[in-house]
Amino acid sequence: MAAPDPFSLDDFASIPDPIGGASTRPTPAPVPPDGASPTRDQRRRRNLIAGGFGVTWVVFLVWRLGVRGNIGDAGLLASLVVWTALTVGGLALALRTNPRGLPQSLRVVQIVLLALASVYVAGVLVRDVTAPNVPIHWSNVIGCLTWAHILALGPLAVAALIFRRSFLSFPAWRGAVVGAACGLGGAIGIHAHCVVETASHVLVAHGLVIVVSALVGAALGARQGRL
Amino acid sequence: MDESLLNAAMDRYACGDPRAFAALHQALHPRLLAYLTRMSGSPVLADDLLQETFLRMHRARSTFATGGAVIPWAYAIARNVHIDHARAARLRATERLPSDPGSETVDRGGVDAESAAIAAEAARAVERVLARIPASQRDAFVLIRYEGLSVIDAAAILGTTPTAVKLRAFRAYEALRAELEELKREAPARARGRVEGGADGRS
């Protein structure tokens, strides 16, 4: 025999409804709200264009900066592919809805956020095993740091537009995931350009943008992300 | 209206069919109005918040997932509207208060009036407790008990797990039950007081 549920909801009906009559008021005639509102197809097209712009922004800037000479190296390519897959997959997982069309729980969003950061760091540390230990210096960092942020700026601006007033719950956390994904885009872009493999350089000069973008995403989400 | 028909109407509305709005309004208006009245404690304010809810639903119709359920989606938007209002109200240094305990006129003449007075007192006690307990517990309890949503839908609206929602709702229920039992214990003494008060008034 199953044990009785200590948190049974069966007795909830014994609690009276303080406003029992409110729902019996007559429903007024429907007045459709004014104002432009995109349809599902229009939004899909807009998102496709915006996503394409974000990717093009990163690819174009990396092409202008110059792709690093050893881009064909198997280990490097593997890192870039894993990070790209992580960005796309993580974003899809965090933003997809459940079968009832409602958003994922906060726990899923937090796990994705943690995964984005930790897989990036793990990738850097694995690559660093064979790299020479070059001490970190401000002059070596500032260039990559700046370009990483510029690379992330395009996707971030596009995301701010796409996800404005679109999160049903926890807009700051969901904004943080979107921001981190944009930051990861910037980190991938600068990593495809810069040849320095030292963990300290890659983590700070290439990776700091993930943290900054996540914070910007969280702030934007909290401010204008709530639906 | 059947839930699947309502979901289909929302699907049509998301695809740009303006005629679907009437069906949505007809089905959702009473439910959302009751919910917002419970959350805000004011029928007048609830009317305003409901207008804002329908406006947000209209603006965000394209984000409604194909094949999704419109009822929990609409509740989630209504909850956001209430949260935004409550935050703005907090900024204006005002807060929700339970209904004025002396605002209702009670006919003290008969047995029915007596039970009506007890029911009104219980309702006020429920309001008081709902205003006092943490918002997370109130949200969970209201969505499950009064709005009739499933634990899974309530969890998705609140962005948490079904277990957490169940626990929060149960905590709210315990607080409410304790308050109502207290009220029940005090009821005979209060009734005696009313009778004695009435006798004094007649002499």
Side-chain angles (χ1 to χ4, degrees), chain A residues 79 83 117-131 191 197-203:
Chain A
S79 301
W83 289 339
S118 55
V119 173
Y120 179 79
V121 171
V124 172
L125 295 179
V126 166
R127 286 280 297 166
D128 189 55
V129 172
T130 55
H191 205 63
E197 289 277 2
T198 314
S200 54
H201 175 83
V202 179
L203 285 178

Side-chain angles (χ1 to χ4, degrees), chain A residues 5-9 11-12 15-17 19 25 28 35 37-40 43 100 102 106 168 170 226-227, chain B residues 3 11 14 25 29 38 47 58 60-64 69 80 84 87 145-146 153 158-159 166-167 170 173:
Chain A
D5 182 358
F7 303 114
S8 170
L9 313 182
D11 293 334
F12 275 25
I15 304 296
D17 184 352
I19 57 120
R25 284 165 55 187
S37 156
T39 63
R40 199 180 268 155
R43 188 181 184 89
R100 301 273 287 162
L102 296 168
L106 178 62
L168 273 177
F170 298 105
R226 190 192 300 281
L227 170 55
Chain B
E3 195 184 343
D11 260 332
H25 186 271
H29 187 281
R38 284 184 187 102
D47 264 331
H58 171 69
R61 62 181 174 168
S62 59
T63 66
F64 181 72
N80 285 346
D84 288 346
R87 282 186 183 161
R145 161 65 181 97
Y146 299 130
D153 278 353
L158 301 175
K166 209 171 163 185
L167 197 64
F170 193 79
Y173 165 70

Side-chain angles (χ1 to χ4, degrees), chain B residues 41-171:
Chain B
S42 158
V44 178
L45 177 59
D47 264 331
D48 291 345
L49 298 181
L50 184 60
Q51 296 310 313
E52 173 65 19
T53 302
F54 277 116
L55 188 62
R56 284 197 200 184
M57 282 176 64
H58 171 69
R59 285 182 185 153
R61 62 181 174 168
S62 59
T63 66
F64 181 72
T66 311
V70 66
I71 292 174
W73 185 75
Y75 271 111
I77 294 175
R79 178 173 174 265
N80 285 346
V81 169
H82 175 253
I83 289 173
D84 288 346
H85 170 81
R87 282 186 183 161
R90 231 186 348 256
L91 285 176
R92 291 194 300 269
T94 60
E95 63 181 50
R96 180 195 163 193
L97 294 170
S99 301
D100 176 12
S103 61
E104 286 150 61
T105 52
V106 178
D107 175 11
R108 295 170 195 278
V111 178
D112 283 342
E114 182 72 28
S115 50
I118 290 169
E121 210 159 318
R124 278 197 296 272
V126 170
E127 263 201 332
R128 265 199 313 275
V129 175
L130 288 178
R132 191 181 66 209
I133 60 177
S136 59
Q137 293 180 10
R138 181 174 59 237
D139 283 348
F141 184 82
V142 167
L143 287 174
I144 292 170
R145 161 65 181 97
Y146 299 130
E147 308 308 329
L149 296 187
S150 68
V151 172
I152 292 171
D153 278 353
I157 289 170
L158 301 175
T160 186
T161 60
T163 311
V165 164
K166 209 171 163 185
L167 197 64
R168 289 175 192 176
F170 193 79
R171 295 262 180 274

